[in-house]
Amino acid sequence: MASEKVRLTSKPRNKLRRQALHVKRKRAQDSSRRDERFRRKREEDKHPELREDRLKRNVPLTLDRKRVWDEVEGEVGDGIGLSVDAERLKRWRTERQSDGDEEDRSPSSGSSESDSPSEDDDLDSMIDFGSDDENQADDTTIPSAKPPKPNAKRDPTDRATSPTGSTTTTKLDQTPDSLASKFPTLFAADSRPTPKILITTSINSTLHHQAELLTTLFPHSVYIRRSAHRYGHKFSIREISSFATARNYTTLIVLKEDQKKPTGLTIVHLPHGPTFHLSISNWVEGKKLPGHGNATNHIPELILNNFRTPLGLLTAHLFQTLFPRSPDLVGRQVVTLHNQRDYIFLRRHRYIFREKRVTEKSVVGTDGKEVKGVEGIRTGLQELGPRFTMKLRRVDKGIQRGGDGVEWEWKGGMEKQRTKFQL
């Protein structure tokens, strides 16, 4: 019936009739889609397994899910220039080391053991091939969806190379040992001192208010203006770094300006580097945010999301050194650094736990099911600001480009393949 309504025999020459026919066709399409949704809902109410299978298949195919990685062959060193998952890299090294240990233990193993099928293979075969009776019973009880053809083309969601979600907690313990040995002061978690940050701007800058806002964002920080006098000495980054090191500062942050807007951050880890150069976009002050709150002097909590490569873990460790290890939980403030497609989004919120209202839904996890233990609890967020977006442009081994050289630098050709990311 719906296909007969939608089919067009000929195109009318009258404009009003064409409009009426188009409206009629759209209504017929909407009606058929509505009937299909209600039919599917009735079946899923009878058999909830169908709804779970449908939600499992209907995962949006984003660039994050299609993310590709560089193939690892042999020893890769610190892996800064490679797009490699640090967790998979560490697992691969562990398996390789365990295989080498097994070969050393049994160098003259017979070939009969390798040729004979193992128990694991039998178990896998038992899992893969079920009995026909069970399949027939399942078909009689649950109306299955369209069965996939043996030679059919895979669904785009199945072709995605990254089965994990786009938002994952950064695992700082997966850092390669070679990378930690190259920057020992940055990865020394036990002997990490309390951060003391010196914030300044570029020469003759007008971003004094924005620099003052950064002092509220980073605890134990102070802002010192650079000389703007025509006869004053223009101190370089190296001279400012030596000045800050002599006064027990741990980090130097330089705010860059272009057309009276913040365009970049240069973060120097004292006393010997490394130096990170980041560009800034979409700077929004807290007072311009709708429903914003006012920040307090409490030390915030820190959330690092989705830093997965060795270069991403290096950047995450840098941001970790900017905040003290023991936050003030009484202040209920949290700073989030979320990496997505090599863009680092910085947000600061104040949170509060409250009871769930009757009209609100429960908290749902990544699997689509309700999270147990928090059925009656909801979290309210109030953004404090400032908010901005950063992108890593260059990493210097020491202080500035001269001297030790450049460790990593962004190039335009890195974004030619849209499914490969550096962080």
Side-chain angles (χ1 to χ4, degrees):
M1 294 294 293
S3 60
E4 295 179 359
K5 295 179 182 179
V6 174
R7 187 184 300 115
L8 297 177
T9 57
S10 61
K11 184 177 180 180
R13 301 181 63 181
N14 188 284
K15 179 180 178 181
L16 296 179
R17 291 184 180 179
R18 288 199 304 270
Q19 291 178 350
L21 189 61
H22 176 71
V23 173
K24 184 178 180 180
R25 184 187 62 176
K26 293 293 290 182
R27 287 179 179 175
Q29 289 179 349
D30 295 342
S31 178
S32 61
R33 292 173 182 173
R34 182 175 179 273
D35 295 340
E36 177 65 22
R37 288 198 305 269
F38 275 89
R39 183 195 63 79
R40 183 179 61 194
K41 185 177 183 299
R42 288 193 296 269
E43 292 182 357
E44 292 177 349
D45 291 341
K46 296 179 182 179
H47 307 284
E49 295 84 359
L50 295 178
R51 180 180 287 106
E52 294 181 1
D53 295 340
R54 178 176 60 86
L55 294 178
K56 190 179 298 184
R57 292 193 308 268
N58 293 347
V59 179
L61 186 61
T62 61
L63 288 178
D64 298 312
R65 287 189 56 81
K66 293 194 294 184
R67 181 173 185 174
V68 296
W69 307 90
D70 292 334
E71 296 182 359
V72 179
E73 295 181 359
E75 190 65 26
V76 296
D78 52 20
I80 287 184
L82 298 176
S83 178
V84 183
D85 191 356
E87 184 177 2
R88 297 180 184 178
L89 180 61
K90 190 170 185 178
R91 189 187 309 122
W92 175 78
R93 288 176 175 174
T94 304
E95 293 176 356
R96 185 180 178 183
Q97 185 177 2
S98 61
D99 293 342
D101 296 341
E102 291 179 359
E103 291 179 359
D104 296 339
R105 293 173 185 173
S106 58
S108 59
S109 58
S111 61
S112 59
E113 297 179 359
S114 62
D115 296 338
S116 61
S118 60
E119 297 180 358
D120 296 338
D121 297 338
D122 298 339
L123 292 175
D124 293 341
S125 62
M126 293 172 62
I127 294 175
D128 292 339
F129 302 100
S131 61
D132 296 335
D133 299 336
E134 293 177 357
N135 295 334
Q136 292 178 1
D138 294 340
D139 294 338
T140 55
T141 55
I142 301 176
S144 61
K146 297 180 181 179
K149 298 180 181 180
N151 297 328
K153 190 176 181 181
R154 289 190 302 166
D155 188 75
T157 305
D158 298 335
R159 296 198 307 266
T161 58
S162 178
T164 57
S166 60
T167 303
T168 56
T169 304
T170 302
K171 299 180 180 180
L172 298 176
D173 56 343
Q174 304 294 338
T175 305
D177 298 335
S178 57
L179 184 63
S181 60
K182 182 178 290 188
F183 305 102
T185 59
L186 197 62
F187 290 91
D190 298 336
S191 60
R192 192 176 68 193
T194 304
K196 184 180 179 183
I197 305 172
L198 173 62
I199 299 177
T200 186
T201 59
S202 55
I203 298 176
N204 300 332
S205 176
T206 60
L207 302 180
H208 305 296
H209 176 65
Q210 287 80 353
E212 291 289 348
L213 290 179
L214 290 180
T215 58
T216 64
L217 179 64
F218 300 109
H220 308 307
S221 60
V222 61
Y223 168 55
I224 300 178
R225 299 190 180 191
R226 294 183 75 172
S227 175
H229 195 271
R230 58 182 300 185
Y231 298 115
H233 179 69
K234 305 298 189 287
F235 290 93
S236 63
I237 300 297
R238 285 182 174 273
E239 293 175 333
I240 298 176
S241 300
S242 61
F243 168 86
T245 303
R247 286 154 181 80
N248 298 326
Y249 284 96
T250 60
T251 308
L252 170 65
I253 298 179
V254 181
L255 181 62
K256 297 182 179 180
E257 174 190 4
D258 186 21
Q259 297 181 355
K260 298 185 178 181
K261 293 182 180 179
T263 58
L265 282 178
T266 299
I267 305 177
V268 183
H269 182 70
L270 301 176
H272 306 297
T275 304
F276 290 75
H277 303 266
L278 303 104
S279 61
I280 290 181
S281 60
N282 302 329
W283 176 285
V284 181
E285 298 181 9
K287 64 181 182 181
K288 295 183 179 180
L289 298 172
H292 71 91
N294 296 323
T296 58
N297 294 328
H298 296 90
I299 298 175
E301 305 172 49
L302 181 63
I303 298 177
L304 299 169
N305 276 342
N306 211 23
F307 293 91
R308 304 179 63 180
T309 64
L311 180 61
L313 294 177
L314 179 66
T315 309
H317 274 278
L318 173 75
F319 288 121
Q320 192 182 32
T321 58
L322 301 179
F323 295 88
R325 301 181 61 181
S326 56
D328 296 334
L329 301 180
V330 180
R332 296 180 287 108
Q333 293 185 165
V334 57
V335 174
T336 305
L337 289 163
H338 175 71
N339 170 49
Q340 186 170 0
R341 304 178 189 178
D342 290 346
Y343 288 93
I344 304 173
F345 300 89
L346 188 143
R347 301 291 186 269
R348 178 169 58 164
H349 295 87
R350 179 183 291 115
Y351 61 89
I352 185 173
F353 297 108
R354 56 177 176 80
E355 296 182 357
K356 184 176 73 69
R357 302 187 182 95
V358 180
T359 57
E360 293 178 340
K361 297 182 180 180
S362 300
V363 180
V364 180
T366 56
D367 54 353
K369 299 181 181 179
E370 295 183 0
V371 179
K372 297 182 179 180
V374 292
E375 291 82 358
I377 301 176
R378 292 302 298 269
T379 305
L381 293 177
Q382 184 184 35
E383 190 167 358
L384 307 178
R387 64 156 66 168
F388 52 91
T389 306
M390 296 177 290
K391 187 176 179 66
L392 184 62
R393 298 297 179 178
R394 195 172 83 234
V395 178
D396 299 331
K397 294 182 181 179
I399 298 176
Q400 292 294 83
R401 187 190 294 268
D404 299 333
V406 178
E407 183 69 30
W408 178 88
E409 187 172 8
W410 178 87
K411 298 179 181 178
M414 293 180 177
E415 296 184 353
K416 188 173 182 180
Q417 187 176 1
R418 298 183 61 196
T419 55
K420 181 180 290 187
F421 309 108
Q422 304 299 321
L423 300 182

